[in-house]
Amino acid sequence: MFRLTSPLRRRGARLAAACASACLLVTALAAGPAQAYASGVRVDLRVLVFNDGSAGVGVITAQMDREGVPYDTIDLNQPGRPALTTAALSDTVSGRPRARYNGVVLPNEHALPAAELAVLATFEQTFGVRQIDAYTAPSAAVGLTTTWSGVLDGGQLGVTPAGQAAGFGYLNGLLPVDDVDPGVTESYGYLATPVAGANYTALVNGTSPASGAIIGVYRTGNREELVITLAMNEYQNVAAQLGHGLLTWLTQGVHLGHWRNWLSVHVDDVFLPDARWDAERNCTTGDDCPDTPTPLADIRMTAADVTALVAWQNAQGMKLELAFNAEGSVDAGPADPLTARLLADRAQFRWLNHTYGHPYLGCVQDFSTVPWRCATNPATGAIVYASQAEIRAQFTDNVTWAQSKGISFNRAEVVTGEHSGLRSAPQMAVDNPNLAPALAQAGITVIASDASREPAPRTLGSARTVPRHPMNIYYNVATKADEVDEYNWIYTSAADGGSGICSSNPASTCIAPLDPATGFDSYIVPVETRIAYGHVVTADPRPHYVHQSNLTADRIIYPVLDAVLARYRAAFTTATPIVTPRMSEVATLQSQQAAWRAAVAARTVEAYLLNGRVTVINRGAAIAVPITVPANTQTITLSLLGLEVRGGVYGSAYGPERSGWTSLRADGQQLLRLP
């Protein structure tokens, strides 16, 4: 939960003098939503949430957490909680009225006792603060009557022109409602029409299986209430797609926070071959398969696959990131056609150091037992680890080879083979103690980790980890048939011919065996698309990773990525593109987000709007503050004499807004100004 510190009680003249050399002013040139706030009063940029634990409230708080929007919570389930009072919502600062919040979230329009609702309504009416009813049924109390109600799974919503103008302008218009499991009801909704005489504007309509308003604004006087009659939860893609628009409407387009939709895809093991799945023996050749006189051939890309990759990137306008191992090229010899094609097209790709030869850089592996264990020193019993020199050589030898071939990449980033060297249960409870000093010696500050093992980033010596999402397009398959066969082995019961792992693993669910001929396209592609798309629309910057084997033969990664991109472009405008950050950019973003969360939790930063001016004050260490404002916003700085000097356009455009991370020095102050 994000919170801000209590308001600064200073005279305007003292503040202007203190800001003379370090203040930033942001001016909205066109009439913007912020003008709905009452003039002459201070409005803090902080949201008040009345939380009863319901899913509808969770949709909004989850979005605020993703973006970094500060909010305070009143727990409606707390026994004997204090009654809401006027003093809790507003007071006076430096002789001016102050609204402590610039938005209010309620579970529904009758979630509080009548006396508290009256206090809240007076506050909202006085200061022009908006309210969201997170989920309710149509009634006269919100200006609506029901025209249809029922299960909306698999249905469709449409953003109206009024909705696009009021905060949902980043959406193209039509949004499908999740239907993950046809046997389970996931979304219930009421479609409505305004009652006679009600001042109601529909922002989002249901268009299928019936028509009617499902999200809209009910106005009484100058009080505005966003009424949501769709039951959804934070884990649904439809909720994630609507989430930013809900916040934009609530905060009238001005809030602390930063929002992007991210998707980076790494292709591991480039230049190397990958072992192949043996469909007859249900194991991986050269890995867990017993030795055989005629092992299956490894999987390795061809020159034609490189040409196909270039064509795919050009068609989709997205670059994959090639995590390369030089040893694969060296072993293939100087006449290797794959190396020749990759080097000829080197400028077409983004490259990433994946170590020279892909060895395991954790403990020395002892395969005399199943599963393998860490080898130990016979004399001391201590675990034997890959040495610092060996690890460093894997980093630097790959760099040396790449530089000799004219491959350009960021030397501060690395992916170790199998994310080895990092702690990994059950064998390695701690990191290889030689890993951090080897990273420092090689000048590496960003190292990939496995998000399925370690979802959160962490510090490792002088480096930071960047968790990556593994995709269920396996490293040991290149064809649809082999992908389905291995998928069936993992996800079907022993009775159905599978391994039965799904029956014994509480985190897994058994499925009916997929048809070898159709299962990839009919089941695996939709499931993997939904999972990856969910990461994108929940503003998750963590990269995804697959393997070079998935770019050859049937090239099975492309159908998944094509489906993700097609779904995204159907929902979002071209002004709201997917952003594809490098690992170092993700590391910076995650560090900024962590610092911002800490600053808000420590209440060392505050922000408020007064007569069109937003004041941001930092009382702690230097920090980057995320800010979102309307389009056509310009920066203005204060000169030493206190005069305003207009600067350039603030932040960067994303959808119909502009946003950015604004650096504030330690104990510094900055102003943002909206006319």
Side-chain angles (χ1 to χ4, degrees):
M1 180 171 61
F2 288 84
R3 299 179 185 272
L4 285 178
T5 186
S6 57
L8 180 69
R9 299 175 182 268
R10 285 189 178 180
R11 298 287 183 184
R14 290 181 60 195
L15 180 58
C19 290
S21 61
C23 293
L24 175 69
L25 296 133
V26 177
T27 303
L29 300 181
Q35 293 180 342
Y37 290 117
S39 62
V41 301
R42 165 178 165 156
V43 180
D44 284 5
L45 300 188
R46 190 186 331 172
V47 173
L48 177 61
V49 177
F50 292 89
N51 196 350
D52 64 348
S54 60
V57 174
V59 167
I60 300 166
T61 56
Q63 189 68 29
M64 289 195 288
D65 287 337
R66 293 178 194 124
E67 298 192 25
V69 177
Y71 66 93
D72 288 341
T73 301
I74 293 178
D75 184 357
L76 295 181
N77 297 320
Q78 178 186 353
R81 76 168 173 83
L84 182 67
T85 64
T86 298
L89 299 172
S90 62
D91 59 6
T92 301
V93 175
S94 299
R96 293 183 181 274
R98 173 179 72 137
R100 294 179 181 271
Y101 303 99
N102 70 330
V104 177
V105 178
L106 281 175
N108 52 65
E109 76 280 6
H110 48 72
L112 298 175
E116 293 182 79
L117 287 174
V119 169
L120 186 61
T122 299
F123 163 74
E124 293 169 348
Q125 190 92 6
T126 300
F127 292 97
V129 172
R130 292 173 170 176
Q131 173 183 314
I132 291 181
D133 300 333
Y135 175 60
T136 190
S139 71
V142 290
L144 294 172
T145 184
T146 301
T147 57
W148 180 92
S149 64
V151 177
L152 282 168
D153 299 5
Q156 203 163 47
L157 308 181
V159 178
T160 69
Q164 289 180 320
F168 298 94
Y170 57 92
L171 294 171
N172 275 326
L174 293 179
L175 300 175
V177 179
D178 301 66
D179 189 16
V180 175
D181 186 343
V184 176
T185 297
E186 298 165 30
S187 294
Y188 190 92
Y190 297 89
L191 304 183
T193 189
V195 299
N199 187 348
Y200 178 88
T201 302
L203 304 186
V204 180
N205 288 333
T207 62
S208 172
S211 298
I214 202 162
I215 298 176
V217 181
Y218 176 52
R219 294 176 177 84
T220 52
N222 74 329
R223 181 170 174 265
E224 295 182 323
E225 191 173 350
L226 189 72
V227 181
I228 302 173
T229 58
L230 168 65
M232 51 186 175
N233 65 66
E234 65 183 274
Y235 305 104
Q236 293 178 296
N237 287 336
V238 67
Q241 291 171 135
L242 291 168
H244 180 71
L246 298 177
L247 294 190
T248 300
W249 180 88
L250 179 65
T251 64
Q252 305 186 40
V254 181
H255 60 261
L256 299 183
H258 184 269
W259 172 68
R260 295 290 185 274
N261 289 327
W262 317 90
L263 177 63
S264 298
V265 179
H266 298 172
V267 182
D268 288 7
D269 303 350
V270 170
F271 292 120
L272 284 175
D274 282 306
R276 187 181 297 271
W277 174 253
D278 188 326
E280 291 187 6
R281 298 190 293 168
N282 294 313
C283 55
T284 301
T285 303
D287 186 357
D288 56 347
C289 275
D291 291 338
T292 176
T294 56
L296 298 178
D298 289 339
I299 308 167
R300 189 169 186 256
M301 290 175 63
T302 67
D305 297 324
V306 179
T307 301
L309 173 57
V310 172
W312 183 89
Q313 290 187 154
N314 290 337
Q316 289 290 9
M318 175 182 175
K319 287 192 175 185
L320 305 187
E321 197 149 349
L322 305 188
F324 67 96
N325 309 87
E327 188 174 68
S329 173
V330 174
D331 288 349
D336 178 34
L338 173 61
T339 299
R341 186 71 263 158
L342 281 168
L343 293 181
D345 292 333
R346 63 175 72 83
Q348 301 294 319
F349 310 119
R350 298 188 349 180
W351 296 87
L352 179 59
N353 187 352
H354 193 26
T355 73
Y356 183 78
H358 202 284
Y360 191 80
L361 298 179
C363 61
V364 174
Q365 295 172 295
D366 178 358
F367 291 102
S368 64
T369 62
V370 178
W372 66 270
R373 63 187 177 187
C374 289
T376 56
N377 185 308
T380 65
I383 293 175
V384 180
Y385 291 101
S387 69
Q388 181 176 330
E390 177 187 356
I391 297 171
R392 182 189 177 194
Q394 283 294 320
F395 300 154
T396 57
D397 288 354
N398 214 38
V399 169
T400 300
W401 180 89
Q403 289 178 328
S404 73
K405 303 300 182 182
I407 294 175
S408 178
F409 63 102
N410 187 344
R411 295 182 56 181
E413 303 172 341
V414 76
V415 180
T416 57
E418 301 178 55
H419 303 101
S420 59
L422 299 171
R423 61 195 183 205
S424 176
Q427 290 92 345
M428 284 189 55
V430 298
D431 301 320
N432 181 342
N434 299 318
L435 177 60
L439 291 169
Q441 275 190 320
I444 293 171
T445 57
V446 180
I447 179 172
S449 61
D450 189 334
S452 66
R453 299 171 181 168
E454 294 189 82
R458 61 185 173 94
T459 299
L460 180 65
S462 59
R464 290 280 291 174
T465 65
V466 170
R468 303 190 303 164
H469 292 294
M471 299 186 76
N472 254 359
I473 305 298
Y474 304 124
Y475 82 96
N476 53 359
V477 299
T479 66
K480 295 179 180 181
D482 280 351
E483 170 74 12
V484 172
D485 187 86
E486 185 171 3
Y487 203 94
N488 279 339
W489 177 249
I490 296 171
Y491 289 108
T492 62
S493 65
D496 283 331
S499 64
I501 295 173
C502 59
S503 303
S504 58
N505 185 350
S508 183
T509 301
C510 293
I511 63 172
L514 303 179
D515 186 309
T518 63
F520 180 78
D521 293 312
S522 66
Y523 185 89
I524 295 176
V525 169
V527 167
E528 289 306 303
T529 297
R530 174 175 54 81
I531 293 171
Y533 186 77
H535 296 154
V536 174
V537 296
T538 53
D540 184 347
R542 291 173 291 184
H544 294 72
Y545 71 96
V546 294
H547 294 81
Q548 62 84 32
S549 52
N550 309 140
L551 297 181
T552 191
D554 290 346
R555 299 168 182 159
I556 57 178
I557 190 55
Y558 294 137
V560 176
L561 297 182
D562 287 342
V564 172
L565 295 173
R567 183 171 179 182
Y568 186 87
R569 289 163 182 163
F572 291 84
T573 67
T574 56
T576 319
I578 285 177
V579 181
T580 56
R582 304 295 295 260
M583 276 218 307
S584 54
E585 294 171 322
V586 175
T588 297
L589 174 67
Q590 290 175 330
S591 295
Q592 288 175 324
Q593 290 172 329
W596 175 239
R597 284 192 293 268
V600 172
R603 306 184 78 85
T604 57
V605 176
E606 67 169 311
Y608 60 86
L609 174 65
L610 175 61
N611 289 333
R613 291 191 178 190
V614 176
T615 301
V616 181
I617 304 168
N618 174 33
R619 295 186 177 279
I623 191 172
V625 178
I627 304 171
T628 297
V629 292
N632 300 319
T633 295
Q634 289 186 325
T635 62
I636 295 178
T637 58
L638 287 179
S639 70
L640 293 175
L641 299 177
L643 300 176
E644 297 180 357
V645 180
R646 181 171 297 183
V649 178
Y650 174 75
S652 58
Y654 197 66
E657 301 167 314
R658 298 191 71 87
S659 54
W661 287 85
T662 300
S663 296
L664 289 174
R665 60 177 174 78
D667 300 319
Q669 304 175 58
Q670 292 190 343
L671 297 178
L672 312 176
R673 181 177 168 193
L674 303 167

